[in-house]
């Protein structure tokens, strides 16, 4: 499917060069695989990689001063976002709005793998439990 959402002549490059940086080391074990601040790539978002094999396990309740988008890469998760409970599986995305406490857990069976996009150049978080 071809897309033409805007006229490319209306957007000028800002002079940044393409960059690469390591998000995580695939050899390292553990749920928090790594994080990549937006500044490392000269971008506007920070990216985290998270995964675990244990149903019921996940990050603690926390909040950010910016939106966070969760991409479920593998498995199924239950997200607690404010008063909402949302179940999502591989291929789905969930939004955690700025200022709304949230957490998620592996529903199992098997591995849950997420990519968490923090809409900020830096990872800023307050844990609530």
């Amino acid at each position: 499917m071809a897309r033409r959402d805007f006229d490319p002549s209306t957007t000028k490059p800002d002079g940044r060069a393409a960059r690469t940086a390591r998000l995580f080391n695939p050899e390292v074990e553990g749920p928090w695989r790594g994080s990549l601040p937006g500044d490392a790539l000269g971008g506007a978002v920070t990216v985290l990689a998270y995964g675990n094999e244990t149903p019921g396990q996940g990050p603690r309740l926390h909040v950010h001063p910016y939106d966070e988008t969760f991409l479920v890469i593998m498995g199924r998760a239950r997200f607690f976002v404010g008063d909402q409970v949302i179940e999502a599986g591989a291929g789905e995305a969930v939004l955690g709005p700025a200022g709304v406490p949230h957490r998620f857990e592996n529903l199992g069976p098997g591995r849950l793998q997420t990519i968490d996009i923090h809409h900020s150049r830096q990872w800023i978080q307050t844990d609530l439990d």
Side-chain angles (χ1 to χ4, degrees):
M1 170 173 84
R3 294 184 61 155
R4 187 164 173 80
D5 297 333
F6 75 104
D7 178 354
S9 69
T10 64
T11 302
K12 303 297 178 211
D14 64 9
R16 290 178 296 156
R19 293 177 165 171
T20 185
R22 182 172 285 246
L23 172 58
F24 67 90
N25 181 343
E27 313 269 326
V28 175
E29 296 292 324
W32 288 106
R33 302 295 301 279
S35 65
L36 182 62
D39 290 336
L41 289 176
V45 299
T46 295
V47 181
L48 281 67
Y50 177 86
N52 77 62
E53 286 83 14
T54 308
Q57 190 176 74
R60 61 182 12 156
L61 184 68
H62 62 278
V63 66
H64 308 284
Y66 49 76
D67 289 348
E68 182 175 10
T69 301
F70 304 93
L71 307 175
V72 180
I73 304 302
M74 176 186 299
R76 292 198 53 76
R78 180 175 292 124
F79 290 83
F80 301 88
V81 183
D83 294 334
Q84 291 184 275
V85 177
I86 300 168
E87 291 188 9
E92 294 184 290
V94 175
L95 174 68
V100 178
H102 56 272
R103 68 180 184 86
F104 61 91
E105 62 188 24
N106 184 346
L107 281 176
R111 183 168 181 78
L112 169 65
Q113 184 68 56
T114 66
I115 297 294
D116 307 339
I117 302 169
H118 291 237
H119 297 240
S120 170
R121 295 178 71 95
Q122 299 175 356
W123 182 3
I124 304 167
Q125 176 171 310
T126 296
D127 294 335
L128 300 173
D129 64 1

